[in-house]
């Protein structure tokens, strides 16, 4: 009979059958692998099986003598009643006579007591007591009573989360609120090196005021520190489970492999899935079949069960439930940051968001002259900008869609990577002043062509051509999706053909992101504005290029700042509701004016008109929230930007930089390594990773990162500064001073930011000279100065009064002091 049972349960999988036979042989009985709260039997699915809430339900077992009697005392605690019982433990409510409050007392079940369990019992108390968070039950004391060890803990007025679950799931807002409460408590446990390993609704209490409380650390393990965590650790004190709870345990945990915090993330994903849908992601008539599903199948998409669940939350849950730990979120903090919603305007016809997402690729240049590539790139970029203004339509930003430039589009791959169901692509040919465009709209999932059309035009008609393209693509989208979008807001005036052509050339040069490219772009944007002074994009281009000049140290702020501000004023006069001009203005108000109130107000306007633009959320997180030290909020905004622009290298680098500033170095390194694996030529990623590696003590690898960045970007003064700081931290003082001398030599003929020297002197420990250079940066209004407030490299200077005074003069509150680097 057992053989037939296993044949059916393992579904013909010989490897699974062998593993199950091995586990059963080691345990000696089938029941040892079945948890108490999911008593599987044939014909009963997990969703049908009620959970037993051992710590809160009165026991019906009267065949033993309770170790604590009602009315008796345990030290100052008077026992009032037994409130819970499980396989190996009991819970009593008692009154603390000294403080006049209720407490809960845990003791080992008389039937299960042993030296090993006593040791495990104390271990659980130690682990739980090491945590201090409102979402984790508080341990008050451990006392002996006769031969019984008692854990005195917080008494919680509430019910298990399992009592609150509904067969249709909870409202999304309610489910998200509960999940965040659980996640915050778990994040604290993980930060302390503790993995729960038995997270489930029966071990989570909801207090009367809505506060979540995580209980039962009997199966918890430590991931660092000196606490013993032997493989022979006994079962949970109260649930009697050897490994965890089937249905909630991660695949690697079910295989009895070594686990880390990512196993809890999987369990969290199961709980979140159930909160949202009312169901478990996996169910089966037997425990063995359930184990097979968990380890071989992907969970169903939540929106097939409950369509009103937002796409971003579905993605969070499914990533948490990935079969392999490497594919899940790597920390609870990362997961929690991803639960920030994307603002999607309400539309009249309910269509899944993926169906309303479109990507536009740069046009392939089939002209003999490669210089005509600027036209194909420019038309695609302007088509993106035009479609972005359509409410209810999500348009993949340029940074992500242009990752596929020059490739023959693989529809399915692009759709998967960009989350887009529709793709605009095509080609461009130029002969003299004549242009021929072939444009196509394709469906990505199946790769079929929705629409194709050829356009013939003159180069002088580029702006009209771009406007016509946008209108036609929008009309095809209306037909394809069977819905109406708001009418396209056409430009009130048409710029001169010369101005528009020069502008497209300027954008092409600007997007090369090199010093030479910026210089060429500034000249082209100025010529565009001269050709048509009322063409707002040209003025925005001038402002952004001047800001890049300041950022890359190509010109002093005294030159770039007034030029950028003047251009932005002109752009906003022409286009008062331009999100791009608004966030650029906010950046200048924060970085140059240090007027944080004005910057906040302007960013609020930019967010209002550009709520679905990744750039707005990116700059709000990086240029406003980060200098203010509001790093958790900054990370949420940057993650939001990443969701809107998933392949943007600069956004992903900024996320790594934010984690670095939060001193979450392991997460930062993992984020940046992933980026550089995909984008090995992205210099900024090497700079950011090098900074993280220095804080981790990986000196040689950090130096290689800075050297690689210098190769890719050229040995600019910023590159020399990063190299000099690295040499200083490595104890190579002569090489660090060489970098300073080289910057001073160059300063005779080019602008060198005093902040570059300040960084190297800080690494050398020459604090007085470092402060002199920082003061000089203040006097010259160097924009990067605002990030010094949260940069770990300046932690050694934070205790000084001069440093604090400097930070306060730029309108910021000094960030919390951290340990100085060794």
């Amino acid at each position: 009979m057992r053989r037939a049972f296993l044949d059916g349960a393992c579904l013909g999988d010989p490897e699974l059958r062998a593993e199950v036979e091995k586990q059963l042989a080691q345990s000696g009985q089938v029941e040892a692998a079945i948890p108490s709260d999911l008593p599987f039997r044939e014909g009963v699915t997990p969703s049908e099986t009620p959970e037993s809430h051992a710590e809160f339900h009165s026991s019906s077992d009267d065949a033993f003598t309770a170790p604590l009697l009602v009315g008796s005392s345990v030290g100052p605690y008077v026992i009032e009643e037994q409130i819970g019982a499980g396989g190996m433990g009991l819970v009593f409510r008692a009154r603390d006579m000294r403080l006049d409050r209720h407490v809960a007392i845990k003791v080992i079940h008389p039937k299960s007591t042993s030296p090993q369990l006593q040791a495990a019992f104390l271990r659980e108390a130690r682990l739980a007591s090491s945590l201090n968070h409102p979402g984790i039950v508080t341990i008050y004391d451990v006392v002996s009573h006769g031969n019984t060890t008692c854990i005195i803990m917080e008494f919680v007025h509430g019910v298990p989360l399992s009592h609150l679950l509904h067969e249709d799931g909870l409202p999304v807002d309610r489910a998200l609120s509960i999940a965040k409460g659980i996640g915050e408590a778990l994040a604290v446990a993980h930060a302390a090196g503790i993995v729960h390993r038995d997270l489930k609704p029966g071990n989570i209490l909801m207090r009367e005021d809505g506060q979540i409380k995580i209980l039962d650390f009997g199966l918890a393990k430590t991931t660092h520190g000196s606490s013993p965590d032997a493989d022979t650790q006994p079962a949970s004190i109260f649930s009697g489970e050897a490994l965890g709870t089937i249905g909630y345990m991660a695949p690697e945990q079910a295989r009895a492999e070594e686990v880390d915090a990512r196993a809890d993330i999987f369990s969290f994903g199961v709980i979140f899935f159930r909160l949202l849908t009312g169901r478990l992601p996996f169910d089966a008539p037997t425990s063995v079949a359930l184990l097979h599903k968990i380890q071989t199948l992907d969970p169903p998409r939540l929106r097939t069960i409950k369509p009103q669940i937002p796409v971003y939350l579905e993605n969070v849950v499914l990533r948490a439930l990935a079969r392999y730990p490497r594919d899940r979120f790597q920390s609870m903090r990362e997961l929690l940051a991803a639960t920030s919603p994307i603002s999607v305007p309400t539309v009249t016809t309910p269509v899944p968001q993926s169906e309303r997402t479109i990507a536009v690729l740069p046009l392939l240049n089939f002209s003999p002259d490669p210089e005509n590539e600027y036209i194909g790139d420019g038309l695609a970029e302007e088509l993106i900008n035009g479609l972005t203004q359509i409410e209810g339509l999500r348009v993949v930003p340029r940074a992500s869609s242009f990752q596929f430039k020059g490739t023959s589009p693989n529809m399915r791959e692009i759709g998967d990577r960009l989350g887009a169901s529709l793709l605009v692509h095509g080609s461009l040919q130029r002969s003299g002043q004549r242009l021929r465009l072939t444009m196509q709209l394709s469906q990505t999932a199946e790769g079929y062509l929705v629409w194709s059309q050829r356009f013939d035009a003159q180069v002088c008609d580029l702006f009209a051509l771009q406007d016509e393209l946008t209108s036609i693509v929008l009309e095809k989208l209306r037909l394809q999706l069977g819905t109406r979008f708001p009418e396209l807001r056409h430009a009130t005036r048409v710029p001169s053909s010369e101005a528009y052509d020069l502008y497209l050339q300027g954008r092409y040069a600007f997007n090369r992101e090199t010093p030479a490219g910026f210089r060429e772009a500034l000249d082209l944007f100025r010529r565009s504005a001269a050709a048509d002074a009322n063409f707002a994009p040209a003025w925005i281009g001038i402002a952004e290029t001047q800001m890049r000049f300041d950022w890359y140290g190509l010109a002093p702020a005294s030159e770039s700042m007034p030029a950028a501000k003047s251009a932005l004023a002109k752009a906003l006069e022409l286009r008062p509701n331009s999100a791009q001009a608004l966030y650029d203005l906010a950046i200048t108000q924060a970085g140059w004016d240090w007027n944080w109130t004005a910057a906040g107000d302007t960013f609020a306007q930019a967010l209002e008109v550009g709520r679905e633009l990744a750039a707005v959320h990116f700059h709000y997180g990086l240029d406003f929230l980060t200098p203010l030290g509001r790093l958790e909020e900054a990370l949420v905004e940057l993650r939001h930007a990443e969701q809107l622009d998933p392949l943007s290298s600069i956004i992903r680098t900024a996320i790594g930089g934010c984690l670095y500033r939060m001193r979450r170095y392991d997460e930062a390194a993992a984020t940046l390594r992933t980026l550089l694996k995909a984008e090995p030529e992205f210099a900024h990623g090497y700079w950011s990773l090098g900074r993280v590696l220095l804080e981790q003590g990986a000196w040689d690898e950090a130096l290689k990162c800075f050297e690689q960045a210098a190769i890719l970007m050229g040995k600019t003064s910023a590159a020399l500064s990063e190299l000099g700081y690295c040499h200083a931290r490595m104890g190579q003082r002569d090489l660090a001073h060489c970098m300073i001398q080289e910057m001073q030599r160059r300063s005779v003929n080019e602008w060198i930011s005093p902040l570059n020297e300040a960084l190297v002197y800080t690494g050398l420990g020459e604090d007085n000279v470092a402060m002199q250079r920082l003061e000089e940066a203040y006097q010259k209004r160097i924009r990067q100065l605002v990030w010094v407030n949260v940069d770990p490299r300046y932690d050694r200077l934070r205790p000084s009064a001069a440093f604090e005074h400097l930070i306060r003069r730029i309108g910021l509150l000094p960030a919390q002091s951290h340990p100085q680097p060794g």
Side-chain angles (χ1 to χ4, degrees):
M1 183 174 180
R2 170 168 150 169
R3 178 175 300 175
F5 164 76
L6 290 176
D7 286 340
C10 294
L11 305 178
D13 187 328
E15 294 184 1
L16 179 61
R17 168 67 181 271
E19 179 63 24
V20 171
E21 290 276 19
K22 177 183 175 183
Q23 294 291 335
L24 294 178
Q26 291 175 348
S27 65
Q29 55 180 346
V30 175
E31 289 78 7
I34 301 177
S36 62
D37 70 339
L38 287 178
F40 294 108
R41 53 187 183 276
E42 293 191 66
V44 181
T45 66
S47 59
E48 296 168 336
T49 306
E51 294 178 331
S52 66
H53 313 290
E55 297 192 76
F56 309 101
H57 284 197
S58 297
S59 173
S60 59
D61 185 356
D62 297 321
F64 63 89
T65 302
L68 301 178
L69 300 176
V70 174
S72 65
S73 296
V74 177
Y77 310 106
V78 176
I79 307 301
E80 293 186 343
E81 69 170 313
Q82 180 181 324
I83 58 174
M88 287 181 289
L90 304 171
V91 185
F92 295 84
R93 187 183 70 214
R95 170 70 66 176
D96 183 341
M97 303 307 293
R98 296 170 303 180
L99 301 177
D100 192 26
R101 65 178 177 181
H102 277 112
V103 297
I105 300 182
K106 289 185 177 184
V107 296
I108 296 177
H109 200 299
K111 298 187 299 183
S112 305
T113 187
S114 70
Q116 185 186 29
L117 286 178
Q118 290 280 3
F121 196 58
L122 289 172
R123 179 181 176 279
E124 177 182 1
R126 283 196 298 270
L127 288 178
S129 66
S130 68
L131 302 173
N132 181 20
H133 187 270
I136 298 173
V137 70
T138 303
I139 302 298
Y140 295 144
D141 199 0
V142 176
V143 300
S144 295
H145 179 70
N147 295 325
T148 302
T149 300
C150 306
I151 298 179
I152 315 300
M153 58 184 289
E154 175 186 6
F155 178 81
V156 181
H157 291 277
V159 295
L161 181 60
S162 48
H163 281 191
L164 303 176
L165 296 172
H166 190 273
E167 62 180 8
D168 296 324
L170 300 176
V172 172
D173 290 348
R174 176 72 166 151
L176 179 58
S177 175
I178 293 173
K180 283 185 174 181
I182 298 168
E184 289 290 347
L186 266 186
V188 170
H190 292 169
I194 295 174
V195 183
H196 191 282
R197 294 202 294 189
D198 193 21
L199 195 69
K200 59 184 179 184
N203 281 339
I204 300 168
L205 268 183
M206 173 72 77
R207 210 167 61 183
E208 293 174 351
D209 62 359
Q211 174 66 56
I212 287 291
K213 289 283 185 180
I214 295 180
L215 313 169
D216 197 354
F217 284 77
L219 269 183
K221 64 164 284 185
T222 56
T223 57
H224 58 70
S226 58
S227 301
D229 190 30
D231 294 336
T232 56
Q233 177 186 319
S236 170
I237 296 300
F238 293 100
S239 63
E241 299 148 16
L243 294 175
T245 301
I246 295 177
Y248 292 91
M249 69 172 70
E252 67 272 21
Q253 188 175 357
R255 294 191 297 268
E257 296 174 357
E258 186 68 21
V259 301
D260 56 22
R262 294 172 295 182
D264 280 352
I265 288 174
F266 184 97
S267 302
F268 175 89
V270 176
I271 294 171
F272 204 177
F273 190 106
R274 195 169 176 192
L275 286 168
L276 288 166
T277 67
R279 307 182 191 178
L280 287 165
F282 305 97
D283 61 0
T286 66
S287 59
V288 176
L290 179 61
L291 283 171
H292 177 74
K293 282 192 172 184
I294 291 172
Q295 298 194 57
T296 59
L297 300 180
D298 293 325
R301 299 197 72 87
L302 288 77
R303 288 167 55 83
T304 62
I305 303 170
K306 192 173 178 180
Q308 60 266 43
I309 294 172
V311 173
Y312 80 96
L313 281 186
E314 180 184 65
N315 292 336
V316 167
V317 175
L318 293 179
R319 184 175 172 190
L321 291 173
R323 267 178 281 165
Y324 301 104
R326 66 175 181 268
D327 295 330
R328 297 175 205 147
F329 293 99
Q330 299 303 292
S331 73
M332 277 305 307
R333 288 294 178 199
E334 182 187 9
L335 187 154
L336 288 169
T339 59
S340 175
I342 299 175
S343 299
V344 181
T346 303
V347 291
T348 54
T349 305
V351 178
Q353 185 186 2
S354 60
E355 294 185 16
R356 292 182 178 275
T357 301
I358 186 170
V360 181
L361 299 189
L363 304 184
L364 295 172
N365 178 27
F366 288 163
S367 305
D369 188 350
E371 291 187 2
N372 291 316
E373 195 168 319
Y374 81 88
I375 299 177
D377 284 12
L379 287 174
E381 188 169 352
E382 290 305 297
L383 179 56
I384 290 171
N385 293 337
L387 292 175
T388 297
Q389 65 178 279
I390 305 302
E391 187 174 342
L393 178 67
R394 177 176 175 261
V395 185
V396 176
R398 177 194 185 282
S400 286
S401 61
F402 272 49
Q403 295 278 332
F404 297 93
K405 180 177 177 178
T407 64
S408 298
N410 180 316
M411 304 300 171
R412 186 181 297 275
E413 177 190 355
I414 293 174
D416 288 344
R417 293 187 63 187
L418 298 179
S421 63
L422 294 165
L423 180 70
V424 177
H425 54 106
S427 61
L428 163 75
Q429 288 180 289
R430 178 175 179 176
S431 177
Q433 294 301 304
R434 293 190 62 79
L435 291 174
R436 171 164 289 179
L437 271 66
T438 302
M439 301 299 297
Q440 296 175 326
L441 177 67
S442 298
Q443 193 260 15
T444 60
E446 303 299 331
Y448 66 79
L449 188 65
V450 175
W451 159 77
S452 179
Q453 186 170 336
R454 192 180 75 186
F455 298 84
D456 292 311
Q458 297 286 328
V459 173
C460 61
D461 296 328
L462 273 176
F463 186 84
L465 177 60
Q466 176 261 314
D467 212 30
E468 181 183 3
L469 277 177
T470 306
S471 296
I472 291 177
V473 169
L474 183 60
E475 181 58 32
K476 298 305 175 184
L477 289 175
R478 290 188 180 111
L479 295 173
Q480 173 68 15
L481 299 177
T483 188
R484 291 194 60 79
F485 292 105
E487 293 299 321
L488 181 67
R489 298 189 300 273
H490 292 279
T492 55
R493 60 176 305 277
V494 176
S496 74
S497 59
E498 181 186 5
Y500 191 67
D501 185 66
L502 288 166
Y503 170 74
L504 292 184
Q505 293 182 55
R507 295 306 307 181
Y508 186 78
F510 181 91
N511 288 328
R512 295 206 301 267
E513 288 279 343
T514 64
F518 292 135
R519 292 187 179 98
E520 182 182 353
L522 182 60
D523 176 63
L524 289 164
F525 288 140
R526 282 172 169 168
R527 289 166 59 192
S528 175
D532 189 340
N534 293 320
F535 184 41
W539 293 106
I540 294 175
I542 291 171
E544 291 194 330
T545 309
Q546 291 286 5
M547 293 165 73
R548 288 293 200 282
F549 270 47
D550 170 69
W551 179 261
Y552 284 99
L554 303 176
S558 58
E559 294 178 11
S560 298
M561 179 170 58
K565 285 186 173 183
S566 175
L568 285 174
K570 181 65 175 177
L572 285 167
E573 176 187 330
L574 296 167
R575 289 190 182 178
N577 290 321
S578 166
Q580 189 175 5
L582 285 168
Y583 69 67
D584 282 337
L585 176 61
I587 291 170
T588 68
Q589 291 168 332
W592 280 331
D593 298 343
W594 305 324
N595 187 338
W596 301 97
T597 300
D601 291 342
T602 307
F603 266 122
Q605 294 179 58
L607 288 164
E608 177 65 26
V609 297
R611 58 183 176 271
E612 290 192 69
L613 296 179
V616 181
H617 296 278
F618 169 74
H619 287 294
Y620 180 54
L622 179 64
D623 294 280
F624 184 74
L625 295 174
T626 294
L628 291 173
R630 294 160 57 180
L631 296 177
E632 290 283 358
E633 296 173 71
L635 184 60
V636 168
E637 289 295 326
L638 293 171
R639 295 252 188 236
H640 192 162
E642 183 187 30
Q643 288 176 310
L644 292 169
D645 197 354
L647 299 186
S648 168
S649 298
I650 193 64
I651 291 175
R652 287 183 285 169
T653 300
I655 289 171
C658 188
L659 291 167
Y660 159 75
R661 295 180 181 105
M662 297 168 79
R663 279 68 177 177
R664 288 159 56 178
Y665 299 127
D666 290 346
E667 294 173 67
T671 298
L672 293 165
R673 288 186 194 279
T674 301
L675 162 70
L676 290 170
K677 185 176 180 181
E679 299 291 335
E681 302 298 311
F682 192 65
H684 287 280
Y686 288 102
W687 270 351
S688 294
L689 179 57
R691 294 165 189 165
V692 175
L693 292 170
L694 279 180
E695 301 306 321
Q696 293 180 315
W699 316 107
D700 293 337
E701 189 181 358
L703 181 59
K704 289 179 181 177
C705 284
F706 292 125
E707 289 173 340
Q708 182 64 22
I711 291 172
L712 294 170
M713 289 290 293
K715 285 199 172 182
T716 62
S717 60
L720 294 174
S721 175
E722 299 282 354
L723 280 167
Y725 179 78
C726 183
H727 287 309
R729 287 289 297 275
M730 295 175 72
Q732 300 169 346
R733 299 182 64 84
D734 289 346
L735 289 175
H737 277 289
C738 283
M739 297 297 107
I740 293 173
Q741 291 166 9
E742 174 62 16
M743 286 188 280
Q744 291 173 344
R745 184 188 67 79
R746 292 186 181 188
S747 66
V748 176
N749 298 313
E750 64 182 80
W751 160 251
I752 303 293
S753 168
L755 205 56
N756 292 334
E757 286 188 37
L759 177 63
V760 185
Y761 281 120
T762 301
L764 287 165
E766 298 180 26
D767 297 351
N768 290 336
V769 186
M771 284 305 308
Q772 290 173 13
R773 295 295 182 270
L774 288 173
E775 178 63 29
E776 187 179 348
Y778 169 82
Q779 296 297 334
K780 294 183 176 180
R781 287 191 175 267
I782 305 301
R783 185 154 65 97
Q784 292 94 326
L785 188 62
V786 297
W787 285 283
V788 169
N789 189 38
V790 289
D791 192 332
R793 294 175 295 182
Y794 291 94
D795 281 352
R796 65 173 295 113
L797 298 179
R798 294 191 197 285
S800 76
F803 186 86
E804 179 179 342
H805 182 55
L806 173 72
I807 296 301
R808 291 188 183 278
R809 279 186 291 158
I810 59 178
L812 298 171
L813 292 176
Q816 182 181 357
S817 183
H818 294 267
Q820 296 179 16

